[in-house]
């Protein structure tokens, strides 16, 4: 499969701060690649360096086979969506996209197609100032699609949205990937919401890529069990004695296990606790967060 982006041993510094530390990554055509890490991990710097908007201190970057820092034409097939889209607040969507289409020499057909694709049909004459946060983000996606790009890069596109809108925007990216065969890069500090939409995930921390793999590869060795019980502190103490790492929140215990064997041990111990008279109301496995992955 063709590599759309090749990042090889890239380092980027801001004075003494190392924002990217010898980073290597490849993004293949047709993938949804997730860049996941806490704030300050280097996600935005990696995106800007990949686009040639920042000059790297060392290493190699190729975007569609060209170095984007020295050849801006490499970015011609890229659509970019930012965390807070900067759109003309008083201008209706249709008018704005019409101006954009003229820049790219596109006819009116593409405007109708992208408006329908992003779910804004019926809102064509609504100014951006009257749109909800989720609708504004959809308008930003429509803007990015007008040029009919081969690659979409979305930097924290769901960070200012409520949970319902976050899921809708991520579902929209999945739809665009499947129907339009677009390669998509999405950055986020929330791991669990990207597990279901991405083909590959790169975990960043302190300017380094710690792990790269499929969603199953990333989470397969880390599970979180949520235990609802009457005496969480007593069970917590018993589990910690035999080496489990866990936190107590109200009547819930959150226990991290790093293997199937550790999960089986946990269930056996809890079974014995029940036999000993402890009241355990429920046990469920939940998806780990970025913190558990980084610690795992």
């Amino acid at each position: 499969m063709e590599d759309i982006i090749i990042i090889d041993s890239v380092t980027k510094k801001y004075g003494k701060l190392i924002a990217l530390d010898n980073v290597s990554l490849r993004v293949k055509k047709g993938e949804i690649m997730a860049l996941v890490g806490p704030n300050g991990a280097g996600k935005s710097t990696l995106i800007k360096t990949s686009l040639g908007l920042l000059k790297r201190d060392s290493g190699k970057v190729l975007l569609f086979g060209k170095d984007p820092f020295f050849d801006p034409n490499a970015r011609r097939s890229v659509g970019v969506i930012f965390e807070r889209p900067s759109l003309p607040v008083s201008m209706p969507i249709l008018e704005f996209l019409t101006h954009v289409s003229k820049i790219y020499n596109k006819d009116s057909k593409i405007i109708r197609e992208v408006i329908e694709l992003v779910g804004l049909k019926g809102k064509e004459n609504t100014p951006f100032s009257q749109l909800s946060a989720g609708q504004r983000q959809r308008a930003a996606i429509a803007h990015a699609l007008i040029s009919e790009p081969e690659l979409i890069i979305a930097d924290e596109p769901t960070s200012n949205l409520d949970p319902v809108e976050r899921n809708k925007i991520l579902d929209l990216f999945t739809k665009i990937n499947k129907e339009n065969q677009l390669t998509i890069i999405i950055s986020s500090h929330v791991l669990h919401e990207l597990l279901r939409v991405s083909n590959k995930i790169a975990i960043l921390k302190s300017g380094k890529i710690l792990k790269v793999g499929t969603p199953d590869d990333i989470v397969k060795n880390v599970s979180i069990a949520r235990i609802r019980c009457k005496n969480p502190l007593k069970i917590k103490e018993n589990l910690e004695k035999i080496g489990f790492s866990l936190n107590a929140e109200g009547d819930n215990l959150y226990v991290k296990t790093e293997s199937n064997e550790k999960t089986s041990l946990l269930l056996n111990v809890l079974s014995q606790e029940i036999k000993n008279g402890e009241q355990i109301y429920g046990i469920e496995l939940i998806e780990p967060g970025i913190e558990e992955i980084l610690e795992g």
Side-chain angles (χ1 to χ4, degrees), residues 3-11 20-28 31-36 42-43 46-47 50 60-63 153 184-187 200-204 207-214 218:
D3 289 320
I4 297 293
I5 297 178
I6 297 175
I7 301 165
D8 187 14
S9 303
V10 167
T11 294
L20 296 176
D21 189 356
N22 195 37
V23 168
S24 295
L25 186 67
R26 295 191 175 216
V27 180
K28 296 187 178 297
E31 285 184 331
I32 299 182
M33 165 70 78
L35 304 178
V36 183
K43 303 186 297 297
L46 179 58
I47 287 173
S50 301
K60 179 177 75 173
V61 174
L62 292 178
L63 176 62
I153 297 181
I184 300 176
I185 299 174
I186 308 175
S187 75
K200 191 177 290 182
I201 296 175
I203 302 291
L204 287 84
K208 295 183 179 181
I209 292 183
L210 302 185
K211 299 180 181 181
V212 180
T214 66
I218 295 297

Side-chain angles (χ1 to χ4, degrees), residues 88-97 99 124-129:
V89 294
S90 62
M91 188 177 291
I93 296 170
L94 181 59
E95 182 181 347
F96 173 66
L97 293 181
H99 287 300
E124 296 93 330
N125 296 310
T126 304
F128 290 109
S129 60

Side-chain angles (χ1 to χ4, degrees), residues 7-8 28 33 88 103 128 142-143 150 159 165 171 238 285 288:
I7 301 165
D8 187 14
K28 296 187 178 297
M33 165 70 78
I103 295 173
F128 290 109
H143 176 207
E150 297 179 52
S159 65
E165 281 296 335
D171 289 340
N238 292 340
L285 294 179

Side-chain angles (χ1 to χ4, degrees), residues 25-26 28 49 52 57 64 112 133 142 145 159 213 219-220 234 292:
L25 186 67
R26 295 191 175 216
K28 296 187 178 297
T49 305
D57 294 297
F64 293 105
R112 294 192 299 271
L145 291 171
S159 65
V219 302
K220 67 180 180 181
K234 181 178 179 182
E292 289 82 18

Side-chain angles (χ1 to χ4, degrees), residues 137-151:
Q137 196 60 279
R138 289 172 183 273
I141 295 171
H143 176 207
L145 291 171
I146 284 288
S147 66
E148 298 183 284
E150 297 179 52
L151 169 67

Side-chain angles (χ1 to χ4, degrees), residues 54 124 135 137 140 146 154 179 206 255 288 290 295:
L54 287 176
E124 296 93 330
Q135 290 170 337
Q137 196 60 279
I146 284 288
E179 294 186 4
S206 303
V255 186
I290 184 64
E295 292 170 2

